[in-house]
Amino acid sequence: MIKTFFQKSIFKNLGPGFLLAGAAIGVSHLVQATRAGAEFGFSLIWVLLLACLSKYPFLEFGPRFTASTGKDLISGYKELGKLSYYTYIFITFGTMFVIQASVTIVTAGLAEQLFQLGWSPFIWSAIILGFCIALLWIGKYSGLDLSMKIIVTLLTLVTLISVLFAFNAGTLENALATPTPSYWNLGGMAFLIAFMGWMPIPLDASVWHSMWTREKAKNTNKQLSVKNSFIDFNVGYLSASFIGLLFLLLGALVMFGRGESFSKNSVGFATQLIELYQFLLGNWSYLLVSIAALITMLSTTLTVADAYPRVLSEILIPQERETEISLQKKSNLYRIGLIVIPILSLAILYFTAKNFTYLVDFASGLSFLSAPILGYFNFRLVKNYIAEKDRPSKNYQVFSWICLSILILFGIGYLYIQFN
């Protein structure tokens, strides 16, 4: 029944946007947004909104470019020149294993918190990645597509209800009365940049989105229009941004001013996160929230596990070199990446699992510092390399320059504080 609804309703025409939301709603929301609210109250709402606003055009340019040209962004970077192409490859290989490790370890902590089997985060991580590999090996895009539609819809409803309960619990007065600590210092700026890095999603997800858009067109034998891709993107991106705000509000309403800090251990963090909901909603919410949180992070891990092997296969066999023979080779490369990337990510987790918040902050900080570079590449592509009718308007271009300036200024500010 649920499957029939998603196949026959408006959701049938949506796909890549839901995958984007599935990738976005995870560490940035459950970990970073909740920590932001718990440690700084409502004072970082402007940072969340600024991060979502400043990344918007550059993430939207991914599906726009693909819908207009039929090419993914990796092919576009090659058209820009060797510097752009190899810079993207360098950024990708410098972050992919850490990002995969980061989202997996958070999922592992939530799994142990729910099932309480006494297994270590590393063991849970191996099981979770094995599950993702199996699902993607068998289901490929279609299974991922349907899963994300269901997960994102359910998560939105559960989170919205939780926030409404939070306001009804009378916690707003306490949160507003608590003095807000300063974040204009080295530690505060480090967290602020880490918070912005993955809120609502890293900018290199624009490449993933462009590949999902192309894959959707292949599976449906129908080229997506720029208009439809724009609608699809907005559904996913705005949902992810809104849910990020909800998690920040939960952290501020329930945790801020209680004199507690989140554990650096993934299981400990997961336990505190669920206790936050229990404090608010009562013990009856334990199972519901535990399952919802685990599904949230599992969706992110699943999406990231799909994205990077696609990127790897596209880099090694570009779109313009595809033939009937190389398509099979490309599929094989995807499956190799589906195994190799998780294994190397597990190697990172073997040494860092006990301090997962440091791993998350490091990975998201790297993502933010690379954001202006990828944003500029995407801007050049849609400004000069697509049909004129599909290019952003002059006002949108001005808005994009402003957003790019914001990303650059925050990056420079962070580096200045870091090295002075």
Side-chain angles (χ1 to χ4, degrees):
M1 180 177 177
I2 294 177
K3 182 176 180 179
T4 302
F5 169 76
F6 278 93
Q7 288 178 332
K8 292 186 176 180
S9 68
I10 187 175
F11 290 93
K12 180 180 179 180
N13 296 317
L14 301 173
F18 269 85
L19 292 179
L20 184 76
I25 303 168
V27 175
S28 60
H29 293 60
L30 269 72
V31 179
Q32 301 295 65
T34 309
R35 283 173 63 196
E39 296 180 19
F40 298 99
F42 302 108
S43 65
L44 292 188
I45 289 179
W46 72 271
V47 177
L48 182 150
L49 296 177
L50 186 65
C52 295
L53 187 67
S54 60
K55 291 180 184 179
Y56 176 89
F58 311 115
L59 284 159
E60 184 269 316
F61 290 158
R64 179 194 290 258
F65 177 81
T66 300
S68 178
T69 65
K71 304 175 183 177
D72 56 53
L73 280 180
I74 296 178
S75 296
Y77 295 155
K78 291 195 74 173
E79 291 186 40
L80 287 177
K82 290 184 178 180
L83 179 61
S84 302
Y85 180 63
Y86 287 111
T87 298
Y88 169 71
I89 292 176
F90 176 78
I91 291 172
T92 298
F93 278 88
T95 58
M96 69 162 63
F97 305 110
V98 181
I99 290 178
Q100 182 71 74
S102 299
V103 298
T104 305
I105 193 64
V106 177
T107 311
L110 289 165
E112 173 57 30
Q113 190 278 332
L114 175 61
F115 296 106
Q116 298 184 9
L117 299 177
W119 296 349
S120 69
F122 181 80
I123 296 298
W124 271 115
S125 296
I127 293 172
I128 289 165
L129 286 173
F131 169 79
C132 291
I133 291 170
L135 181 62
L136 293 170
W137 193 288
I138 298 170
K140 295 187 178 180
Y141 181 89
S142 58
L144 184 62
D145 187 15
L146 179 60
S147 300
M148 291 308 103
K149 290 175 182 178
I150 298 173
I151 289 169
V152 172
T153 302
L154 292 178
L155 174 66
T156 302
L157 293 175
V158 171
T159 308
L160 180 59
I161 292 170
S162 298
V163 170
L164 293 176
F165 269 98
F167 278 106
N168 289 333
T171 55
L172 179 61
E173 294 81 3
N174 177 66
L176 292 175
T178 303
T180 302
S182 174
Y183 42 81
W184 299 113
N185 50 60
L186 180 58
M189 279 295 293
F191 176 73
L192 189 147
I193 293 298
F195 179 42
M196 294 183 71
W198 281 359
M199 183 51 66
I201 194 170
L203 203 57
D204 50 355
S206 61
V207 177
W208 311 349
H209 198 173
S210 73
M211 291 189 296
W212 289 326
T213 300
R214 182 169 166 245
E215 186 74 10
K216 180 76 172 181
K218 286 169 59 178
N219 286 349
T220 59
N221 293 317
K222 179 181 178 182
Q223 178 64 42
L224 297 177
S225 68
V226 171
K227 180 180 178 181
N228 287 339
S229 71
F230 185 74
I231 295 172
D232 177 69
F233 169 80
N234 280 326
V235 170
Y237 191 80
L238 295 178
S239 296
S241 301
F242 177 66
I243 295 173
L245 177 62
L246 293 181
F247 275 105
L248 187 148
L249 291 175
L250 281 177
L253 289 168
V254 183
M255 287 287 289
F256 185 57
R258 293 178 61 190
E260 300 180 17
S261 59
F262 279 112
S263 171
K264 295 182 179 180
N265 175 273
S266 61
V267 179
F269 182 93
T271 301
Q272 288 176 293
L273 181 67
I274 303 306
E275 287 176 349
L276 181 153
Y277 284 90
Q278 284 184 283
F279 170 80
L280 179 67
L281 304 176
N283 292 333
W284 65 268
S285 65
Y286 170 84
L287 186 59
L288 174 65
V289 174
S290 296
I291 293 173
L294 178 58
I295 289 175
T296 301
M297 280 310 310
L298 188 59
S299 73
T300 301
T301 306
L302 184 65
T303 311
V304 173
D306 172 75
Y308 281 123
R310 288 185 187 275
V311 170
L312 182 63
S313 63
E314 184 64 32
I315 289 173
L316 295 175
I317 301 181
Q319 182 180 350
E320 60 270 17
R321 290 173 49 201
E322 288 181 355
T323 64
E324 288 301 321
I325 297 176
S326 66
L327 282 176
Q328 182 58 47
K329 291 182 178 178
K330 199 166 188 176
S331 178
N332 292 337
L333 282 172
Y334 170 83
R335 293 190 172 190
I336 291 172
L338 201 57
I339 296 174
V340 172
I341 294 172
I343 289 176
L344 294 177
S345 300
L346 283 173
I348 293 174
L349 288 177
Y350 183 79
F351 297 101
T352 61
K354 293 182 180 179
N355 194 0
F356 93 105
T357 55
Y358 172 79
L359 180 67
V360 168
D361 288 348
F362 177 75
S364 51
L366 283 179
S367 295
F368 185 82
L369 292 176
S370 66
I373 301 172
L374 297 178
Y376 176 67
F377 292 165
N378 293 358
F379 190 21
R380 283 187 60 195
L381 284 175
V382 299
K383 189 172 180 291
N384 302 308
Y385 288 81
I386 65 176
E388 189 169 351
K389 64 181 179 64
D390 296 329
R391 294 175 186 176
S393 66
K394 289 185 177 180
N395 288 337
Y396 197 5
Q397 291 183 37
V398 171
F399 170 66
S400 301
W401 279 118
I402 294 172
C403 291
L404 187 63
S405 300
I406 291 171
L407 294 176
I408 293 172
L409 287 174
F410 269 90
I412 292 174
Y414 170 69
L415 292 175
Y416 176 80
I417 292 176
Q418 186 76 25
F419 295 104
N420 284 276

